PDB file of all heavy atoms in Angstrom:
ATOM      1  N   GLN A   5     -10.612 -47.036  14.446  1.00  0.00           N
ATOM      2  CA  GLN A   5     -10.282 -45.747  13.837  1.00  0.00           C
ATOM      3  C   GLN A   5      -9.287 -44.980  14.699  1.00  0.00           C
ATOM      4  O   GLN A   5      -8.338 -44.394  14.183  1.00  0.00           O
ATOM      5  CB  GLN A   5     -11.547 -44.912  13.637  1.00  0.00           C
ATOM      6  CG  GLN A   5     -12.463 -45.424  12.563  1.00  0.00           C
ATOM      7  CD  GLN A   5     -13.780 -44.660  12.547  1.00  0.00           C
ATOM      8  OE1 GLN A   5     -14.378 -44.414  13.595  1.00  0.00           O
ATOM      9  NE2 GLN A   5     -14.204 -44.283  11.353  1.00  0.00           N
ATOM     10  N   LEU A   6      -9.523 -44.982  16.001  1.00  0.00           N
ATOM     11  CA  LEU A   6      -8.656 -44.247  16.916  1.00  0.00           C
ATOM     12  C   LEU A   6      -7.213 -44.732  16.821  1.00  0.00           C
ATOM     13  O   LEU A   6      -6.289 -43.938  16.625  1.00  0.00           O
ATOM     14  CB  LEU A   6      -9.167 -44.383  18.350  1.00  0.00           C
ATOM     15  CG  LEU A   6      -8.261 -43.780  19.421  1.00  0.00           C
ATOM     16  CD1 LEU A   6      -8.214 -42.270  19.296  1.00  0.00           C
ATOM     17  CD2 LEU A   6      -8.732 -44.195  20.806  1.00  0.00           C
ATOM     18  N   TYR A   7      -7.004 -46.043  16.948  1.00  0.00           N
ATOM     19  CA  TYR A   7      -5.638 -46.559  16.972  1.00  0.00           C
ATOM     20  C   TYR A   7      -5.007 -46.580  15.575  1.00  0.00           C
ATOM     21  O   TYR A   7      -3.808 -46.363  15.430  1.00  0.00           O
ATOM     22  CB  TYR A   7      -5.608 -47.946  17.634  1.00  0.00           C
ATOM     23  CG  TYR A   7      -6.028 -47.848  19.084  1.00  0.00           C
ATOM     24  CD1 TYR A   7      -7.159 -48.499  19.552  1.00  0.00           C
ATOM     25  CD2 TYR A   7      -5.316 -47.059  19.982  1.00  0.00           C
ATOM     26  CE1 TYR A   7      -7.561 -48.379  20.872  1.00  0.00           C
ATOM     27  CE2 TYR A   7      -5.713 -46.929  21.300  1.00  0.00           C
ATOM     28  CZ  TYR A   7      -6.830 -47.583  21.735  1.00  0.00           C
ATOM     29  OH  TYR A   7      -7.219 -47.450  23.050  1.00  0.00           O
ATOM     30  N   PHE A   8      -5.819 -46.800  14.544  1.00  0.00           N
ATOM     31  CA  PHE A   8      -5.318 -46.726  13.165  1.00  0.00           C
ATOM     32  C   PHE A   8      -4.839 -45.311  12.868  1.00  0.00           C
ATOM     33  O   PHE A   8      -3.735 -45.120  12.339  1.00  0.00           O
ATOM     34  CB  PHE A   8      -6.412 -47.148  12.180  1.00  0.00           C
ATOM     35  CG  PHE A   8      -5.978 -47.120  10.741  1.00  0.00           C
ATOM     36  CD1 PHE A   8      -5.322 -48.204  10.181  1.00  0.00           C
ATOM     37  CD2 PHE A   8      -6.219 -46.005   9.945  1.00  0.00           C
ATOM     38  CE1 PHE A   8      -4.908 -48.183   8.854  1.00  0.00           C
ATOM     39  CE2 PHE A   8      -5.808 -45.963   8.620  1.00  0.00           C
ATOM     40  CZ  PHE A   8      -5.156 -47.060   8.071  1.00  0.00           C
ATOM     41  N   LEU A   9      -5.657 -44.310  13.202  1.00  0.00           N
ATOM     42  CA  LEU A   9      -5.270 -42.913  12.956  1.00  0.00           C
ATOM     43  C   LEU A   9      -4.068 -42.509  13.811  1.00  0.00           C
ATOM     44  O   LEU A   9      -3.232 -41.725  13.372  1.00  0.00           O
ATOM     45  CB  LEU A   9      -6.453 -41.984  13.213  1.00  0.00           C
ATOM     46  CG  LEU A   9      -7.587 -42.076  12.191  1.00  0.00           C
ATOM     47  CD1 LEU A   9      -8.770 -41.220  12.622  1.00  0.00           C
ATOM     48  CD2 LEU A   9      -7.103 -41.682  10.799  1.00  0.00           C
ATOM     49  N   THR A  10      -3.970 -43.062  15.017  1.00  0.00           N
ATOM     50  CA  THR A  10      -2.792 -42.789  15.853  1.00  0.00           C
ATOM     51  C   THR A  10      -1.536 -43.337  15.181  1.00  0.00           C
ATOM     52  O   THR A  10      -0.489 -42.690  15.171  1.00  0.00           O
ATOM     53  CB  THR A  10      -2.970 -43.393  17.260  1.00  0.00           C
ATOM     54  OG1 THR A  10      -4.155 -42.855  17.850  1.00  0.00           O
ATOM     55  CG2 THR A  10      -1.781 -43.081  18.145  1.00  0.00           C
ATOM     56  N   GLY A  11      -1.639 -44.527  14.590  1.00  0.00           N
ATOM     57  CA  GLY A  11      -0.515 -45.090  13.837  1.00  0.00           C
ATOM     58  C   GLY A  11      -0.151 -44.245  12.629  1.00  0.00           C
ATOM     59  O   GLY A  11       1.025 -44.017  12.347  1.00  0.00           O
ATOM     60  N   LEU A  12      -1.171 -43.759  11.908  1.00  0.00           N
ATOM     61  CA  LEU A  12      -0.911 -42.858  10.770  1.00  0.00           C
ATOM     62  C   LEU A  12      -0.197 -41.597  11.231  1.00  0.00           C
ATOM     63  O   LEU A  12       0.811 -41.185  10.640  1.00  0.00           O
ATOM     64  CB  LEU A  12      -2.228 -42.456  10.096  1.00  0.00           C
ATOM     65  CG  LEU A  12      -2.818 -43.348   9.029  1.00  0.00           C
ATOM     66  CD1 LEU A  12      -4.166 -42.800   8.578  1.00  0.00           C
ATOM     67  CD2 LEU A  12      -1.892 -43.505   7.844  1.00  0.00           C
ATOM     68  N   ARG A  13      -0.723 -40.976  12.282  1.00  0.00           N
ATOM     69  CA  ARG A  13      -0.140 -39.723  12.771  1.00  0.00           C
ATOM     70  C   ARG A  13       1.251 -39.919  13.359  1.00  0.00           C
ATOM     71  O   ARG A  13       2.043 -38.982  13.383  1.00  0.00           O
ATOM     72  CB  ARG A  13      -1.066 -39.076  13.792  1.00  0.00           C
ATOM     73  CG  ARG A  13      -2.240 -38.362  13.170  1.00  0.00           C
ATOM     74  CD  ARG A  13      -2.973 -37.510  14.193  1.00  0.00           C
ATOM     75  NE  ARG A  13      -3.660 -38.307  15.184  1.00  0.00           N
ATOM     76  CZ  ARG A  13      -4.930 -38.695  15.097  1.00  0.00           C
ATOM     77  NH1 ARG A  13      -5.643 -38.346  14.071  1.00  0.00           N
ATOM     78  NH2 ARG A  13      -5.464 -39.420  16.054  1.00  0.00           N
ATOM     79  N   HIS A  14       1.530 -41.117  13.849  1.00  0.00           N
ATOM     80  CA  HIS A  14       2.861 -41.391  14.393  1.00  0.00           C
ATOM     81  C   HIS A  14       3.936 -41.153  13.342  1.00  0.00           C
ATOM     82  O   HIS A  14       5.041 -40.727  13.658  1.00  0.00           O
ATOM     83  CB  HIS A  14       2.932 -42.825  14.923  1.00  0.00           C
ATOM     84  CG  HIS A  14       4.266 -43.196  15.486  1.00  0.00           C
ATOM     85  ND1 HIS A  14       4.783 -42.600  16.612  1.00  0.00           N
ATOM     86  CD2 HIS A  14       5.205 -44.091  15.068  1.00  0.00           C
ATOM     87  CE1 HIS A  14       5.975 -43.112  16.873  1.00  0.00           C
ATOM     88  NE2 HIS A  14       6.253 -44.019  15.951  1.00  0.00           N
ATOM     89  N   VAL A  15       3.611 -41.413  12.081  1.00  0.00           N
ATOM     90  CA  VAL A  15       4.558 -41.202  10.984  1.00  0.00           C
ATOM     91  C   VAL A  15       4.282 -39.886  10.264  1.00  0.00           C
ATOM     92  O   VAL A  15       5.205 -39.110  10.008  1.00  0.00           O
ATOM     93  CB  VAL A  15       4.501 -42.372   9.974  1.00  0.00           C
ATOM     94  CG1 VAL A  15       5.389 -42.104   8.774  1.00  0.00           C
ATOM     95  CG2 VAL A  15       4.890 -43.672  10.653  1.00  0.00           C
ATOM     96  N   LEU A  16       3.031 -39.620   9.943  1.00  0.00           N
ATOM     97  CA  LEU A  16       2.683 -38.480   9.085  1.00  0.00           C
ATOM     98  C   LEU A  16       2.403 -37.213   9.885  1.00  0.00           C
ATOM     99  O   LEU A  16       1.364 -36.575   9.748  1.00  0.00           O
ATOM    100  CB  LEU A  16       1.468 -38.834   8.223  1.00  0.00           C
ATOM    101  CG  LEU A  16       1.643 -40.015   7.274  1.00  0.00           C
ATOM    102  CD1 LEU A  16       0.355 -40.276   6.518  1.00  0.00           C
ATOM    103  CD2 LEU A  16       2.802 -39.777   6.314  1.00  0.00           C
ATOM    104  N   SER A  17       3.347 -36.841  10.714  1.00  0.00           N
ATOM    105  CA  SER A  17       3.257 -35.592  11.476  1.00  0.00           C
ATOM    106  C   SER A  17       4.675 -35.091  11.693  1.00  0.00           C
ATOM    107  O   SER A  17       5.646 -35.795  11.420  1.00  0.00           O
ATOM    108  CB  SER A  17       2.571 -35.825  12.824  1.00  0.00           C
ATOM    109  OG  SER A  17       3.402 -36.589  13.673  1.00  0.00           O
ATOM    110  N   PHE A  18       4.773 -33.879  12.203  1.00  0.00           N
ATOM    111  CA  PHE A  18       6.104 -33.338  12.471  1.00  0.00           C
ATOM    112  C   PHE A  18       6.841 -34.198  13.489  1.00  0.00           C
ATOM    113  O   PHE A  18       8.048 -34.359  13.425  1.00  0.00           O
ATOM    114  CB  PHE A  18       6.019 -31.888  12.949  1.00  0.00           C
ATOM    115  CG  PHE A  18       7.362 -31.245  13.095  1.00  0.00           C
ATOM    116  CD1 PHE A  18       8.112 -30.915  11.984  1.00  0.00           C
ATOM    117  CD2 PHE A  18       7.904 -31.012  14.347  1.00  0.00           C
ATOM    118  CE1 PHE A  18       9.371 -30.342  12.106  1.00  0.00           C
ATOM    119  CE2 PHE A  18       9.148 -30.440  14.490  1.00  0.00           C
ATOM    120  CZ  PHE A  18       9.889 -30.089  13.364  1.00  0.00           C
ATOM    121  N   ASP A  19       6.080 -34.789  14.427  1.00  0.00           N
ATOM    122  CA  ASP A  19       6.697 -35.672  15.419  1.00  0.00           C
ATOM    123  C   ASP A  19       7.267 -36.935  14.778  1.00  0.00           C
ATOM    124  O   ASP A  19       8.126 -37.591  15.352  1.00  0.00           O
ATOM    125  CB  ASP A  19       5.678 -36.067  16.495  1.00  0.00           C
ATOM    126  CG  ASP A  19       5.290 -34.883  17.368  1.00  0.00           C
ATOM    127  OD1 ASP A  19       6.071 -33.920  17.449  1.00  0.00           O
ATOM    128  OD2 ASP A  19       4.193 -34.925  17.961  1.00  0.00           O
TER     129      ASP A  19
END
Side-chain angles (χ1 to χ4, degrees):
Q5 289 172 315
L6 174 67
Y7 296 118
F8 181 85
L9 290 174
T10 302
L12 274 176
R13 282 191 291 267
H14 179 65
V15 175
L16 299 178
S17 69
F18 186 71
D19 292 337

